[in-house]
Amino acid sequence: MRRPALPDPCPEWLSSLDDAALHRALLERVEAACQLCHDYHPGLPRPKVWFDLRGKCAGQAHYGRGGLRFNPVLYRENRHAFLRDVVPHEMAHWLVRHLSDGHKARPHGREWRTVMERLFGLEAKVTHTFDTGRASPTPHRYRCGCQVHYFTARRHSLARKGRRYCCLSCAETLVYQPFVEHGKVTTNA
């Protein structure tokens, strides 16, 4: 594998940035990645950028909205790795999609891996290893025969509407358990 095509961001500098400067740093990184892609595909449209992604996903190439979405919580907590890996990962999706047969390519298929390795000079990793605890809160508690499970608001809503979820370990149906606070039941529905 060759050297990364984009300069490695300085971790000390990144740690000193406030939210506004961090936002600008990501926009500059997207622009640098876009310039690199333009050298290969001059007709590539510039993606818009949003910081509205939530949950466990770090980034997303959103073709319907015409740009890239990033998770601000995961970015704030993983600044260096985010700029080094996530931005090129999403720009690789953006580039592949805009190639002549890009709409037929698998999301992390051969074309995407080629862009990651040959254009960006990075290992083609599909997933990140960030701690998603604060980015993906799971406040709704469910129980089965062997353990407690925590649901996101979306999954909890689906369960309340009738969708059944079973434990992968004991195969029992998960049952909602409201939180108990100082002797009284408080629901988080």
Side-chain angles (χ1 to χ4, degrees), residues 33-110:
C34 194
Q35 278 303 121
L36 195 59
C37 291
H38 274 193
D39 293 344
Y40 178 75
H41 182 31
L44 182 70
R46 286 206 175 340
K48 296 175 187 167
V49 177
W50 298 276
F51 292 89
D52 63 351
L53 195 57
R54 298 185 324 184
K56 296 179 180 183
C57 191
Q60 178 185 62
H62 198 292
Y63 313 116
R65 286 174 71 183
L68 307 176
R69 298 175 66 201
F70 294 102
N71 186 320
V73 176
L74 292 179
Y75 175 38
R76 200 174 303 114
E77 295 176 355
N78 305 280
R79 299 166 183 215
H80 182 257
F82 210 94
L83 292 181
R84 185 190 61 225
D85 300 325
V86 176
V87 171
H89 178 116
E90 300 310 330
M91 277 304 301
H93 284 302
W94 187 252
L95 174 60
V96 168
R97 175 62 178 222
H98 287 89
L99 295 175
S100 59
D101 283 334
H103 63 283
K104 295 179 184 178
R106 290 179 29 231
H108 296 107
R110 180 182 48 82

Side-chain angles (χ1 to χ4, degrees), residues 144-165:
C144 66
C146 69
Q147 61 185 311
V148 174
H149 303 262
Y150 293 95
F151 280 17
T152 61
R154 181 174 185 212
R155 183 170 279 192
H156 174 66
S157 176
L158 291 170
R160 300 312 275 169
K161 290 177 183 173
R163 180 170 293 177
R164 292 182 60 217
Y165 292 95

Side-chain angles (χ1 to χ4, degrees), residues 5 21 29 43 62 125:
R29 189 65 165 197
H62 198 292
K125 292 189 280 185

